[in-house]
Amino acid sequence: MNDIPQEQFSDWSPPPAFVGLDSLRVLVVDDEPAIGKLLRMMLNDLGVGEVALASDGAEALQFIGEHEGRINTVISDWNMPKMTGIELLRQIRTVDARIQFLMITGRPTAEAVMEARSLGITAFIAKPFEPELIREKLQAVAAGAVVPKPVPRPRSGPEPAAPVRLEGGQALRMLANRWS
């Protein structure tokens, strides 16, 4: 019988199916309370570490700003009043490119998908969705299989002489106030 040398297993890591979701701290953003509650229940059943709800983009920005560094994943509806999911993604990316962002949509057009990808979206979730799809997407996030790309900021005009540096929470609170 041939034995496989142990060193061949030294760089083995578990496939995503074995990755737990308890390290995720998710903010669900949806203007329909029933959908938000359903997603929270689903995420809790899947073993997600923490789940918070926001009813719109401005509330989400406020929450993220007040809990700086706490949220590592956002699951947002695309179509919401006040601020769409894509606008929320754009605002979050200006201050923290590390937050994973999953967008729920019922009508993913090619243009919308391209815009979201240009902003560094992590994944799309098409309506209607099953818990298994949510689990697969979140396991990929928890395993580090998907990492949002930093968004290059367009430059226009001369650089400011002394840029003002805001911490992530300050910037998000300012953005939330602007959208309120």
Side-chain angles (χ1 to χ4, degrees):
M1 181 180 263
N2 270 341
D3 287 328
I4 299 173
Q6 188 64 32
E7 60 270 6
Q8 289 188 8
F9 292 102
S10 62
D11 62 350
W12 182 85
S13 60
F18 296 103
V19 175
L21 302 178
D22 57 335
S23 65
L24 296 181
R25 296 176 312 274
V26 178
L27 176 61
V28 174
V29 186
D30 201 304
D31 60 314
E32 295 183 42
I35 299 294
K37 289 176 184 174
L38 174 69
L39 276 166
R40 180 173 51 195
M41 185 177 66
M42 192 181 298
L43 296 174
N44 285 331
D45 287 349
L46 291 172
V48 169
E50 293 179 38
V51 182
L53 297 178
S55 61
D56 60 40
E59 188 179 324
L61 290 173
Q62 184 74 30
F63 185 90
I64 292 170
E66 290 172 358
H67 300 89
E68 188 175 347
R70 187 98 187 128
I71 297 297
N72 58 21
T73 306
V74 170
I75 299 177
S76 176
D77 189 20
W78 183 291
N79 190 17
M80 297 182 291
K82 293 185 186 177
M83 181 188 301
T84 65
I86 196 74
E87 291 166 336
L88 175 60
L89 172 60
R90 185 177 292 114
Q91 297 300 323
I92 288 174
R93 288 291 180 253
T94 63
V95 291
D96 192 345
R98 298 167 300 170
I99 293 176
Q100 305 289 326
F101 199 102
L102 289 78
M103 185 81 71
I104 298 173
T105 182
R107 299 181 300 268
T109 64
E111 298 83 28
V113 169
M114 287 179 16
E115 182 179 9
R117 284 194 176 139
S118 75
L119 292 170
I121 193 162
T122 306
F124 283 97
I125 300 169
K127 290 179 183 176
F129 53 84
E130 296 291 326
E132 181 64 20
L133 176 64
I134 301 288
R135 184 188 59 78
E136 288 172 8
K137 302 279 185 179
L138 290 176
Q139 282 184 321
V141 166
V146 288
V147 178
K149 297 176 186 164
V151 179
R153 295 189 183 138
R155 290 188 174 196
S156 60
E159 288 283 326
V164 176
R165 178 96 171 126
L166 296 175
E167 294 301 316
Q170 292 173 307
L172 285 170
R173 282 189 294 277
M174 286 176 57
L175 289 169
N177 289 336
R178 194 175 92 200
W179 284 92
S180 294

